[in-house]
C-alpha cells in the first residue's frame, strides 16, 4: 500500500482526502498530480472558459455551519476574470436562496463552471470579496484553489432562457423538514445533482467545495426513511468531496428539474461507506455515501433556464454503471450463489472451426452474479437419458458485459451437448469461481500467453482491461501472445482486433501459428511455430511484467519453467491449466504455505451421508471422487485437477489432504473430491455426497 510522501513540501491533500486515497493505495501516485493540477491561480483556458457560461454552481456555508449548493444564471459574460487570481460573479443578492447567506464579504465559497453541451467543467474555491459599500452588481472570488475536472458522467444538454435572468420566478419557496412526494419524485428521476461540502483548516479558515454527480436516472436511491444513497464511481481520485465528508459530514445537495427550472436544495449529514455488499452489487460503484436531509427547500421555477437532452446526450461513462434495481437483484442472487440456477441461451456464435460461444442470461428473474476476469462458470447439463454432467468453462466475457459468455471447444460429451443447444435452451450454472484473475489497476504491464482454447480466460482479462481503461482512464499496458494450430482454428480474431484498436497502443497482439499453411505472414500472423522463450525475449521490452498463462498442461509447464529460468519471480507467473494436470511450481520464490498433512497409509471407511452409501478407501484407490464414482455416485466435478472448485464438498467428519496442493482453495470444512484423499490417522471420513 502506498504511503504519503515525506519528501519536500507537505501533502497537497488534507487528511480526509488522504484517507480515501489510502484506502485504494494511491497516496503516493496522487501526490504529484495534486501539486501540478491544483493551482492557486486560474490558467488561461479556465479564464477564457468561464465567460462563455450561462450558469454557475456555487457552494457556501451559512451562519449555522450548514452548507448549501445553488445555481445562479446570467447572460454570457456574467462571469469574467480580470486577473488569474480573481473571478467576478455578476449576480445580485437573492434572499430566497439559502446559499446567499454564506456569500458575504470574507466568506469561503466553492464554484463549479460546467458546460453540459461540451461536457467541460472547471472548479475553484476561494474567498468572497464584496465592495465595502455594497455598490456594484455581484462579487469577486479571490482564488484559493483552481483545477479542472474530466467530462465523465455529464449528460449533454442544450439550454435556453425562458425569462430575463434578473427576473425572479413567481412561485414562493417552500421549506420542509423532510422529503415530500414531489421531492422524492424529483430525486428519483434525477441523472444529475450537485453537492457542497467543506472543512475547517487548522488556522480556522474554511475550504468549501462544490461538485457534480451524474449517473443513470434513479442512481440516487431514496429510502423509506428519507435517506439518500449515492454510488461513487471512478473519477480523478482527488476525493475532494468525499474527503471533506470524512472530516466534516455536513453536506448540501441540489437537484434541478431541467424541464421546469425547479430547485430542490437540502442540507444535512453525509456518511461515507468504503466497504459493503451493496458496493459490490452496484456495477461501477467503488464506494457509497448516504445523505440524511435535515432542512429541505423546494423553490419552484427558481431558475430562468430550461435544459433539453441532446441527441445521444447520455454520457458514455454510464454504460459501465448499474442501477439500484440491478443491485437488488444481485444481492438476492448472492443468497443462491452455491445453488444451481437456470440460464437461457440468448445467442450462439461460431468463433472458429470447433469453438462456439454461448451467451447466457438468467432465466429465474434474478441477476447474474458478478464475475472477475478469468474466472470459470460451473455448468450442469441434463442428457436425453437423464444423466447429469457437470463441467466448468472459463468465461470469455468481461465482468461489465452484462451477461455470461462461455466459449467451448467441441471435444467430448458435454461440449458436444453444448454445441447442439439453440437460443432459448436452458442450462444450469452456479456462481463464477476461480482465483486465476487479473487486476486492471496494476501499473505493471501484463503479458497474456494463450495456447489454443486457453485464450478464453485471457480474452476476458483483455476485455476487462480495455473496458476499465475507458471507465478509469488508465489502461494497463498489455501484451497478448495467442497461438493456434491453424488460422481456421484461431478464435476471436475480429473481437481482439477491435480491442487492440480501442486500446490506442496500450495493447500489443502477437499471433502465432504452428501450421500456417496458406496464411499470410503479417496479415494473418506474426510468428510461425510456438510461444517460447526465444519469441518472448525477442518481442517483449526489458522490464518487470506479470505473466498470465493458459493452455494445455505441457505448454503451461514448459512456459513456466522457461520463465523461471529467465529469473522471472514465481509470484509474477499466474497460471490456469485445463485437465487434471496442475502446474508444478518450484524455486525459492514459490508460494510458501503450511505443509499438508500426510495421506493415510491404511484403509479408511468412507460414509457418503447424502446417499446413505459406504465404501472403503485404500492407498492406491485414487481420489475420493474416484471411490464415489465406483459406488455409482455422481458428485459434481469440472476439471478433475483441483483448479475449478466444482467438486467442493462438505466434510462432516474426519480430515482429508492432497498429494499436491491444489490450485483452488476450498472453503474451511470442505474438500475437493477430485484430488482429495483421507489424511493419516483417520478411521473414517464422512462426506455430504
Amino acid at each position: 500500500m502506498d504511503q504519503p510522501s515525506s519528501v519536500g513540501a507537505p501533502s497537497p491533500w488534507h487528511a480526509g482526502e488522504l484517507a480515501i486515497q489510502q484506502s485504494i493505495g494511491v497516496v503516493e501516485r496522487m501526490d504529484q498530480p495534486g501539486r501540478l493540477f491544483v493551482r492557486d491561480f486560474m490558467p488561461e483556458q479556465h479564464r477564457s472558459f468561464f465567460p462563455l457560461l450561462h450558469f454557475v454552481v456555487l457552494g457556501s456555508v451559512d451562519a449555522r455551519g450548514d452548507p448549501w449548493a445553488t445555481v445562479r444564471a446570467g447572460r454570457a459574460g456574467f462571469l469574467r476574470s480580470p486577473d488569474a487570481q480573481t473571478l467576478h460573479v455578476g449576480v445580485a443578492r437573492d434572499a430566497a436562496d439559502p446559499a446567499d447567506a454564506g456569500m458575504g464579504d470574507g466568506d469561503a465559497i466553492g464554484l463549479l463552471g460546467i458546460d453540459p453541451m461540451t461536457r467541460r467543467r472547471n472548479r475553484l474555491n476561494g474567498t468572497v470579496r464584496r465592495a465595502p459599500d455594497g455598490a456594484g452588481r455581484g462579487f469577486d472570488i479571490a482564488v484559493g484553489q483552481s483545477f479542472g475536472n474530466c467530462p465523465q458522467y455529464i449528460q449533454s444538454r442544450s439550454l435556453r432562457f425562458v425569462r430575463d435572468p434578473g427576473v425572479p420566478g413567481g412561485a414562493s419557496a417552500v421549506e420542509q423538514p423532510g422529503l415530500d412526494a414531489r421531492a422524492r419524485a424529483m430525486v428519483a428521476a434525477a441523472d444529475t445533482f450537485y453537492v457542497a461540502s467543506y472543512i475547517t483548516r487548522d488556522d480556522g479558515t474554511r475550504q468549501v467545495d462544490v461538485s457534480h454527480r451524474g449517473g443513470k436516472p434513479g442512481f440516487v436511491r431514496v429510502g423509506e426513511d428519507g435517506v439518500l444513497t449515492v454510488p461513487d464511481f471512478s473519477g480523478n481520485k482527488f476525493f475532494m468531496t468525499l474527503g471533506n465528508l470524512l472530516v466534516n459530514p455536513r453536506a448540501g445537495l441540489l437537484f434541478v428539474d431541467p424541464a421546469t427550472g425547479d430547485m430542490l436544495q437540502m442540507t444535512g449529514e453525509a456518511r461515507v461507506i468504503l466497504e459493503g455488499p451493496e458496493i459490490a452489487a452496484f456495477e461501477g460503484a467503488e464506494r457509497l455515501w448516504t445523505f440524511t436531509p435535515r432542512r429541505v427547500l423546494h423553490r419552484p421555477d427558481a431558475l430562468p433556464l430550461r435544459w433539453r437532452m441532446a441527441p445521444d446526450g447520455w454520457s458514455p461513462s454510464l454504460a459501465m454503471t448499474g442501477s439500484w434495481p440491478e443491485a437488488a437483484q444481485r444481492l438476492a442472487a448472492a443468497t443462491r450463489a452455491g445453488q444451481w440456477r437456470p440460464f437461457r441461451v440468448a445467442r450462439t456464435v461460431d468463433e472458429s472451426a470447433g469453438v462456439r460461444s454461448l451467451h447466457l442470461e438468467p432465466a429465474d428473474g434474478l441477476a447474474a452474479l458478478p464475475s472477475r476476469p478469468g474466472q470459470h462458470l460451473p455448468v450442469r447439463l441434463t442428457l436425453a437419458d437423464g444423466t447429469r454432467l457437470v463441467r466448468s468453462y472459463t468465461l470469455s466475457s468481461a465482468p461489465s458485459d452484462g451477461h455470461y459468455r462461455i466459449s467451448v471447444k467441441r471435444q467430448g460429451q458435454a461440449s458436444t451437448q453444448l454445441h447442439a443447444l439453440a437460443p432459448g435452451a436452458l442450462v444450469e450454472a452456479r456462481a463464477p469461481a476461480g482465483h486465476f484473475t487479473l487486476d486492471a489497476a496494476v501499473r505493471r504491464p501484463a503479458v497474456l500467453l494463450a495456447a489454443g482454447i486457453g485464450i478464453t480466460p485471457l480474452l476476458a482479462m483483455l476485455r476487462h482491461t480495455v473496458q476499465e481503461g475507458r471507465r478509469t482512464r488508465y489502461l494497463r499496458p498489455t501484451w497478448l501472445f495467442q497461438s493456434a494450430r491453424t488460422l481456421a482454428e484461431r478464435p476471436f480474431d475480429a473481437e481482439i482486433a477491435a480491442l487492440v484498436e480501442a486500446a490506442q497502443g496500450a495493447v500489443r497482439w502477437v499471433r502465432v501459428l504452428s501450421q500456417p499453411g496458406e496464411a499470410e505472414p503479417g496479415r494473418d500472423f506474426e510468428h510461425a511455430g510456438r510461444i517460447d522463450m526465444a519469441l518472448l525475449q525477442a518481442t517483449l521490452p526489458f522490464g518487470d511484467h506479470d505473466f498470465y498463462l493458459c493452455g494445455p498442461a505441457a505448454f503451461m509447464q514448459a512456459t513456466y519453467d522457461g520463465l523461471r529460468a529467465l529469473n522471472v519471480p514465481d509470484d509474477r507467473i499466474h497460471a490456469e491449466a485445463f485437465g487434471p494436470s496442475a502446474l508444478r511450481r518450484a524455486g525459492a520464490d514459490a508460494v510458501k504455505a503450511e505443509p499438508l498433512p500426510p495421506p493415510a497409509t491404511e484403509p479408511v471407511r468412507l460414509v457418503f451421508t447424502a446417499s446413505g452409501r459406504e465404501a472403503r478407501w485404500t492407498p492406491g484407490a485414487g481420489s475420493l471422487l474416484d471411490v464415489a464414482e465406483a459406488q455409482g455416485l455422481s458428485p459434481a466435478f469440472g476439471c478433475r485437477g483441483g483448479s475449478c472448485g466444482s467438486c467442493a464438498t462438505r466434510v462432516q467428519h474426519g480430515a482429508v489432504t492432497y498429494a499436491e496442493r491444489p490450485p483452488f482453495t476450498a472453503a474451511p470444512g470442505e474438500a475437493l473430491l477430485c484430488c482429495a484423499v483421507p489424511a493419516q490417522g483417520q478411521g473414517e471420513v464422512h462426506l455430504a455426497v
Side-chain angles (χ1 to χ4, degrees):
M1 176 113 15
D2 291 332
Q3 296 296 326
S5 173
S6 60
V7 179
S11 172
W13 310 109
H14 66 64
E17 295 160 340
L18 287 170
I20 301 186
Q21 291 172 4
Q22 184 76 36
S23 73
I24 60 171
V26 297
V27 170
E28 185 174 312
R29 189 193 315 164
M30 295 307 300
D31 187 80
Q32 186 175 20
R35 299 182 193 281
L36 291 177
F37 302 123
V38 181
R39 312 171 181 91
D40 59 3
F41 65 93
M42 288 177 289
E44 187 57 39
Q45 62 178 353
H46 292 198
R47 296 181 64 200
S48 60
F49 168 74
F50 285 119
L52 304 176
L53 302 180
H54 295 281
F55 72 95
V56 66
V57 186
L58 300 168
S60 66
V61 183
D62 67 18
R64 289 184 285 192
D66 289 332
W68 295 92
T70 190
V71 168
R72 297 293 183 87
R75 302 293 183 184
F78 85 104
L79 299 172
R80 56 183 174 83
S81 173
D83 57 65
Q85 283 76 35
T86 307
L87 182 68
H88 181 75
V89 183
V91 296
R93 304 298 298 250
D94 184 357
D97 185 351
D100 193 79
M103 297 182 191
D105 183 57
D107 286 339
I109 195 167
L111 179 144
L112 165 65
I114 184 169
D115 180 1
M117 278 301 294
T118 63
R119 296 192 172 100
R120 286 185 65 190
R121 55 176 163 170
N122 293 305
R123 287 157 64 183
L124 62 81
N125 58 57
T127 306
V128 174
R129 295 286 181 246
R130 291 188 181 272
D133 57 0
R137 177 180 173 86
F139 58 91
D140 290 340
I141 298 177
V143 175
Q145 292 182 331
S146 171
F147 50 96
N149 270 171
C150 68
Q152 287 182 297
Y153 316 112
I154 298 176
Q155 325 314 341
S156 181
R157 287 183 165 97
S158 61
L159 60 80
R160 63 185 177 89
F161 281 96
V162 295
R163 63 175 182 271
D164 186 277
V167 177
S172 299
V174 178
E175 183 168 354
Q176 53 204 43
L179 301 176
D180 61 9
R182 163 64 179 153
R184 285 174 174 269
M186 195 167 169
V187 173
D191 57 65
T192 300
F193 74 94
Y194 305 97
V195 53
S197 60
Y198 73 98
I199 62 163
T200 302
R201 302 186 185 95
D202 292 340
D203 62 3
T205 61
R206 286 173 174 162
Q207 177 178 307
V208 182
D209 179 77
V210 66
S211 63
H212 162 279
R213 290 293 187 271
K216 295 175 181 175
F219 79 111
V220 180
R221 183 179 65 191
V222 186
E224 293 184 3
D225 56 0
V227 175
L228 310 186
T229 306
V230 185
D232 187 60
F233 304 130
S234 174
N236 57 19
K237 296 181 174 58
F238 287 7
F239 299 121
M240 290 183 165
T241 296
L242 295 192
N244 285 354
L245 298 180
L246 271 187
V247 175
N248 175 15
R250 290 188 174 191
L253 272 59
L254 167 66
F255 293 83
V256 176
D257 187 327
T260 66
D262 286 16
M263 292 174 61
L264 184 67
Q265 293 168 278
M266 55 186 88
T267 190
E269 281 67 45
R271 181 172 66 92
V272 179
I273 303 170
L274 299 179
E275 295 180 352
E278 284 194 317
I279 298 173
F282 198 113
E283 184 178 349
E286 298 185 347
R287 285 152 296 276
L288 299 174
W289 56 282
T290 64
F291 175 79
T292 304
R294 190 167 13 86
R295 295 176 59 197
V296 179
L297 197 68
H298 180 205
R299 299 173 60 201
D301 192 26
L303 286 173
L305 294 171
R306 302 293 184 266
W307 288 265
R308 175 181 293 179
M309 184 71 75
D312 301 321
W314 295 106
S315 168
S317 304
L318 300 186
M320 290 168 280
T321 66
S323 68
W324 285 111
E326 291 170 354
Q329 283 193 344
R330 285 185 170 186
L331 289 171
T335 64
R336 300 180 60 187
Q339 302 175 24
W340 293 105
R341 296 174 52 199
F343 280 77
R344 182 174 293 106
V345 178
R347 66 188 181 105
T348 63
V349 178
D350 289 327
E351 308 290 0
S352 70
V355 176
R356 172 170 289 184
S357 287
L358 284 77
H359 295 246
L360 305 176
E361 297 176 345
D364 58 2
L366 299 178
L369 284 171
S371 65
R372 296 171 62 193
Q375 287 189 311
H376 57 262
L377 187 72
V379 173
R380 186 165 72 177
L381 303 170
T382 302
L383 304 183
D385 62 1
T387 302
R388 284 180 169 177
L389 298 178
V390 177
R391 299 291 186 269
S392 288
Y393 295 96
T394 304
L395 290 165
S396 57
S397 53
S400 60
D401 282 339
H403 62 270
Y404 293 152
R405 179 181 70 174
I406 56 174
S407 301
V408 182
K409 182 178 180 180
R410 187 168 185 163
Q411 52 179 14
Q413 188 178 25
S415 59
T416 298
Q417 172 85 352
L418 288 170
H419 272 239
L421 296 179
L426 294 178
V427 299
E428 292 178 292
R430 290 197 307 216
H435 304 298
F436 180 60
T437 60
L438 174 143
D439 183 352
V442 172
R443 259 35 190 182
R444 191 166 43 251
V447 181
L448 313 180
L449 305 176
I453 195 61
I455 185 61
T456 53
L458 303 187
L459 177 58
M461 294 178 182
L462 183 63
R463 290 185 62 83
H464 177 67
T465 297
V466 174
Q467 291 174 6
E468 283 294 281
R470 295 194 192 105
R471 188 178 72 86
T472 67
R473 293 172 293 122
Y474 167 72
L475 203 159
R476 184 177 184 182
T478 303
W479 290 79
L480 171 63
F481 290 78
Q482 182 187 8
S483 70
R485 194 169 65 92
T486 66
L487 179 61
E489 294 176 0
R490 188 176 67 208
F492 307 116
D493 273 11
E495 181 174 338
I496 295 174
L499 291 169
V500 171
E501 182 178 3
Q504 300 181 336
V507 172
R508 301 286 298 275
W509 182 25
V510 179
R511 300 165 296 173
V512 180
L513 294 177
S514 60
Q515 298 179 21
E518 297 182 359
E520 184 177 327
R523 185 191 68 183
D524 299 322
F525 68 99
E526 283 72 44
H527 180 76
R530 301 182 186 278
I531 297 173
D532 55 22
M533 294 306 104
L535 175 61
L536 297 183
Q537 287 180 294
T539 308
L540 290 175
F542 178 81
D544 187 16
H545 304 85
D546 277 323
F547 292 87
Y548 295 82
L549 327 178
C550 190
F555 161 78
M556 299 276 293
Q557 195 64 56
T559 305
Y560 172 83
D561 293 342
L563 291 172
R564 292 294 289 121
L566 294 176
N567 295 320
V568 176
D570 183 84
D571 62 1
R572 292 282 191 268
I573 306 173
H574 313 271
E576 175 90 317
F578 294 124
S581 298
L583 187 70
R584 297 185 304 276
R585 292 182 176 270
D589 295 321
V591 176
K592 297 179 177 61
E594 292 294 324
L596 293 169
T601 56
E602 300 292 334
V604 176
R605 177 179 176 233
L606 298 182
V607 179
F608 301 107
T609 59
S611 60
R613 299 193 185 185
E614 295 187 11
R616 191 172 181 82
W617 178 92
T618 59
S623 68
L624 297 177
L625 177 61
D626 293 330
V627 177
E629 290 178 329
Q631 295 297 312
L633 301 176
S634 301
F637 71 90
C639 64
R640 298 192 82 101
S643 62
C644 73
S646 296
C647 63
T649 300
R650 186 158 52 94
V651 179
Q652 297 172 313
H653 175 77
V656 303
T657 188
Y658 305 91
E660 293 185 8
R661 190 177 303 278
F664 187 92
T665 303
E670 292 187 347
L672 302 179
L673 294 183
C674 70
C675 51
V677 297
Q680 192 174 68
Q682 304 300 308
E684 57 184 61
V685 174
H686 296 189
L687 301 166
V689 176

